[in-house]
Amino acid sequence: MRIYAVIATKNRRTLFERALISVLSQTRKADKIVVVCDSVDNTFERRLCADNEVDFLENNATHNYAGSLNTAIYNILQEEILLGKSVDDIYIATLDDDDIWDREYLKKAEDSIDGKDFLISGLLYDNGKNVESLSIPVEKVWENTGEDDLPDSV
């Protein structure tokens, strides 16, 4: 399993640096870190990436979060295919520049993936005063499925 960490950023230097530090501090290191930048002046982001051996890309798609992710995915797949590698064992973990990961995030994700195509997990919200875990109530997800028994978690 290869895990690529992708950070999308735009004009938020301090937040971006904090997000990058959280990715670099993982106990399970990402196999590659890719930053996609939408900033008009990207000198700071480019230099921080170079100093930390992180791939830097300018967003060349739609200038929003989705465009940044599309740019990253396209470049990751293109690079892997050109190197003749299989893309079947690649997982992409995304992080917005105003978010951070717990140090164990990638390790826990790797331990939980177990053949799944994707995983959504461990979302935390930091409002500057405290950190709260974000979750989707099982009842909201399950109410329109027509099933009788609720799962233990979503």
Side-chain angles (χ1 to χ4, degrees):
M1 172 185 302
R2 292 175 291 151
I3 300 177
Y4 283 73
V6 174
I7 303 173
T9 188
K10 181 177 182 178
N11 299 325
R12 300 194 282 196
R13 293 175 176 178
T14 303
L15 293 173
F16 163 64
E17 185 172 17
R18 185 181 75 148
L20 181 58
I21 289 168
S22 82
V23 173
L24 292 168
S25 300
Q26 293 296 295
T27 57
R28 193 288 189 199
K29 301 298 183 194
D31 294 287
K32 183 174 270 195
I33 302 170
V34 177
V35 169
V36 184
C37 188
D38 241 342
S39 302
V40 174
D41 176 9
N42 59 34
T43 307
F44 174 82
E45 294 89 341
R46 188 180 294 274
R47 184 176 51 240
L48 194 58
C49 288
D51 291 347
N52 290 285
E53 299 179 6
V54 169
D55 287 6
F56 177 88
L57 300 171
E58 290 185 21
N59 181 1
N60 59 9
T62 306
H63 292 282
N64 57 27
Y65 187 72
S68 291
L69 295 183
N70 286 338
T71 296
I73 292 167
Y74 175 81
N75 280 275
I76 290 167
L77 295 178
Q78 182 180 35
E79 179 180 310
E80 293 295 316
I81 290 167
L82 286 174
L83 292 173
K85 295 183 179 180
S86 169
V87 295
D88 293 339
D89 66 338
I90 292 177
Y91 289 87
I92 299 173
T94 62
L95 182 64
D96 197 9
D97 62 3
D98 64 346
D99 298 322
I100 59 171
W101 286 340
D102 176 84
R103 289 180 41 82
E104 295 289 320
Y105 179 77
L106 290 181
K107 173 72 173 120
K108 290 177 182 177
E110 181 178 49
D111 291 346
S112 300
I113 201 75
D114 192 31
K116 297 172 184 77
D117 290 334
F118 68 93
L119 176 71
I120 299 173
S121 67
L123 301 174
L124 300 175
Y125 174 69
D126 181 352
N127 66 10
K129 295 179 182 174
N130 53 34
V131 177
E132 301 173 16
S133 178
L134 297 179
S135 62
I136 302 170
V138 172
E139 294 79 15
K140 293 290 183 192
V141 174
W142 205 254
E143 68 186 13
N144 294 321
T145 65
E147 299 289 332
D148 292 331
D149 296 322
L150 290 175
D152 292 333
S153 64
V154 175

